[in-house]
Amino acid sequence: MVQVNQCHVMAKPSGSVCNIDCEYCFYLEKEQLYPERQSNWRMSDDTLERFIEQYIQAQSGPTVEFAWQGGEPTMLGLEFYQRVVELCAKYANGKQIYHAFQTNGLLIDENWCQFFKRHQFLVGISIDGPLHLHDQYRVTRSQKGTHSKVMKAIELLKKHEIEFNTLTVVSAGNVGYPLEVYQFLKSIGSKYIQFIPLVERLSTDDNRWHLDLASPLDHSKTVTPWSVAAKDYGHFLVTIFKEWVKKDVGTTFVQTFDSTLASWLNQPAGICTLAAECGHSFALEANGDLYQCDHYVYPEYKLGNIHHTTIEIMNNSPKAVQFSQSKSTSLNQKCNACRYRFACYGGCPKHRFVTTQKGQQHNYLCEGYFEFFRQSEKAMLIMARLLEHRRPATVIMKVAEDANLFD
């Protein structure tokens, strides 16, 4: 069939099974959707092979980027990923294969590092800041902090010269410490930083799956205590941006900043939440079920199963295309009139649960994003002009010393 859309699949070969018990985790309760897999949670070899073959075939370009996540993907053991590499070689058909691996780091040892190095895996480490911030939510089932073990994993990665980035969940617990979080991440050697705003709602539906967190179709407006407030998230981004634009352009890469600069250059955003459309970024459960998105793993958003339908067919199905396009087509009047519409397109649709004065659904994080776009506008415009004239964006750091870039 004719390829219509590129797609990206976040594979969860361990499903929701994890070796820690983060209080804020939105994915742990997905086990309720698969009660039959309580004792058989591993992705089977048959499912793994089907996934790798189909995913490679679904990509029309010369490269294929696999993303392995969970739950906790290391729980499947090294043999599982050695099989991944074998299968990728079997089905590559001349394409270049890349792997990204998101982990809490607790099981990483010398053997894992040797494997990552040998096969050039890009490793993402989940860490929420220094010990007193990280250990608020990222704990074991016995409520013990995990920070020290994560730091040991990072030291091992550095010892083996393995490229890694960091993923930091911005919650009610760490949002008040932007510079402390940012400077800590730099101090541990992170040059590629992702900040993920935590927004979850408590369900008000009597759903048959016994899920505590609200689905996108649940009209609950009660956010969890650990969710970040919109204004606080805006302050968090602005504070770090002011530091970054004066000292770290070109040496530290913050995904939100890079994505916003791309938008000012009329290029595609680097984050799905800030892109014009939800970019066919699927989530694959351990049994082969394919969902519209990692944050839309609910029965209403299941596209099918790779044992019955191929990823290519599901990717180009009317259901997937409509879901992708609806991010822009469902924008309300306030978003359509906003001067920063091009930079976020209303944000993640799952966060559109606030009601405007005109009775339309609006993004919970809007106030924070708007403040960040407003405060960063002058600097973004200067960097965009520099790049358009083939000059490095790093020149902004000299400009920032003299110019009044912020309120």
Side-chain angles (χ1 to χ4, degrees):
M1 67 183 291
V2 177
Q3 177 74 22
V4 177
N5 302 292
Q6 287 290 93
C7 69
H8 181 268
V9 176
M10 180 184 291
K12 295 176 175 288
S14 64
S16 61
V17 175
C18 190
N19 55 348
I20 63 175
D21 192 23
C22 303
E23 183 180 359
Y24 63 47
C25 183
F26 72 96
Y27 212 81
L28 284 177
E29 70 171 9
K30 301 302 181 186
E31 65 182 7
Q32 301 295 338
L33 300 177
Y34 297 98
E36 74 282 2
R37 295 212 323 268
Q38 293 294 318
S39 59
N40 187 25
W41 50 268
R42 297 172 61 91
M43 179 178 281
S44 69
D45 189 71
D46 181 31
T47 301
L48 177 64
E49 184 161 1
R50 285 174 185 262
F51 165 55
I52 288 175
E53 180 182 17
Q54 290 183 23
Y55 187 48
I56 291 173
Q57 289 178 350
Q59 307 304 319
S60 60
T63 63
V64 183
E65 298 179 358
F66 282 88
W68 305 97
Q69 204 173 79
E72 174 49 41
T74 56
M75 291 185 67
L76 288 110
L78 263 177
E79 288 186 2
F80 181 88
Y81 296 98
Q82 289 166 344
R83 179 65 174 153
V84 165
V85 172
E86 292 170 3
L87 290 170
C88 285
K90 177 180 177 179
Y91 292 107
N93 195 27
K95 295 181 179 180
Q96 187 70 43
I97 308 295
Y98 297 97
H99 296 277
F101 194 93
Q102 188 66 39
T103 174
N104 60 37
L106 270 65
L107 297 180
I108 289 180
D109 58 16
E110 294 282 347
N111 291 330
W112 276 104
C113 287
Q114 290 168 9
F115 173 82
F116 290 146
K117 185 69 174 179
R118 185 181 313 119
H119 299 291
Q120 298 182 307
F121 273 50
L122 171 62
V123 180
I125 294 287
S126 300
I127 187 164
D128 290 351
L131 185 147
H132 74 102
L133 299 177
H134 176 94
D135 282 352
Q136 289 182 79
Y137 296 122
R138 300 191 64 82
V139 296
T140 65
R141 288 184 177 84
S142 58
Q143 299 302 298
K144 293 182 179 178
T146 60
H147 191 269
S148 61
K149 291 184 178 181
V150 179
M151 290 302 300
K152 287 180 181 178
I154 290 172
E155 291 308 313
L156 275 173
L157 292 172
K158 290 195 288 189
K159 172 186 171 183
H160 287 267
E161 298 181 336
I162 295 167
E163 184 178 359
F164 73 95
N165 57 33
T166 52
L167 185 154
T168 298
V169 175
V170 183
S171 67
N174 62 2
V175 71
Y177 305 86
L179 287 183
E180 186 174 355
V181 170
Y182 179 59
Q183 289 165 355
F184 170 79
L185 294 174
K186 288 198 300 177
S187 75
I188 64 174
S190 179
K191 297 184 183 300
Y192 299 90
I193 297 171
Q194 297 180 61
F195 293 124
I196 308 296
L198 179 60
V199 180
E200 293 294 341
R201 295 170 293 143
L202 295 173
S203 178
T204 55
D205 286 352
D206 184 19
N207 62 76
R208 63 188 179 91
W209 301 286
H210 307 292
L211 298 177
D212 295 325
L213 300 178
S215 79
L217 298 179
D218 189 330
H219 297 297
S220 169
K221 291 179 172 53
T222 305
V223 296
T224 60
W226 50 83
S227 292
V228 66
K231 186 175 181 180
D232 292 343
Y233 185 58
H235 176 74
F236 181 90
L237 290 178
V238 169
T239 302
I240 294 174
F241 182 78
K242 289 179 178 180
E243 178 79 0
W244 175 82
V245 84
K246 293 176 182 177
K247 299 178 180 179
D248 299 322
V249 179
T251 56
T252 302
F253 300 89
V254 180
Q255 189 183 47
T256 305
F257 304 164
D258 291 346
S259 180
T260 303
L261 180 57
S263 296
W264 280 105
L265 288 164
N266 295 314
Q267 297 175 359
I271 312 175
C272 60
T273 55
L274 301 181
E277 296 183 356
C278 293
H280 294 258
S281 297
F282 307 127
L284 182 78
E285 257 289 337
N287 71 335
D289 285 346
L290 192 72
Y291 291 88
Q292 295 276 18
C293 170
D294 181 33
H295 288 270
Y296 279 75
V297 177
Y298 298 92
E300 312 93 289
Y301 296 97
K302 189 171 80 171
L303 290 166
N305 186 288
I306 62 173
H307 289 276
H308 308 126
T309 313
T310 67
I311 291 173
E312 186 174 5
I313 290 173
M314 287 186 277
N315 177 40
N316 294 306
S317 67
K319 186 175 182 180
V321 172
Q322 189 277 330
F323 179 86
S324 175
Q325 295 175 345
S326 67
K327 182 183 178 188
S328 288
T329 58
S330 62
L331 282 180
N332 61 38
Q333 289 176 305
K334 184 175 181 179
C335 284
N336 279 319
C338 179
R339 65 180 279 104
Y340 302 118
R341 176 180 178 272
F342 71 94
C344 83
Y345 294 93
C348 179
K350 191 181 179 185
H351 296 160
R352 297 178 185 175
F353 56 85
V354 175
T355 305
T356 68
Q357 291 181 342
K358 295 187 177 181
Q360 299 175 320
Q361 295 302 104
H362 198 64
N363 196 297
Y364 168 85
L365 289 172
C366 175
E367 181 183 6
Y369 276 127
F370 187 92
E371 183 63 10
F372 166 66
F373 295 139
R374 187 182 73 81
Q375 289 275 18
S376 66
E377 180 173 355
K378 289 181 183 178
M380 289 290 178
L381 281 170
I382 292 170
M383 287 188 288
R385 291 195 187 105
L386 286 167
L387 292 169
E388 287 169 349
H389 288 85
R390 301 182 182 277
R391 297 183 65 194
T394 53
V395 174
I396 187 68
M397 291 187 286
K398 282 194 173 183
V399 175
E401 293 177 3
D402 305 316
N404 182 21
L405 296 179
F406 308 103
D407 291 350

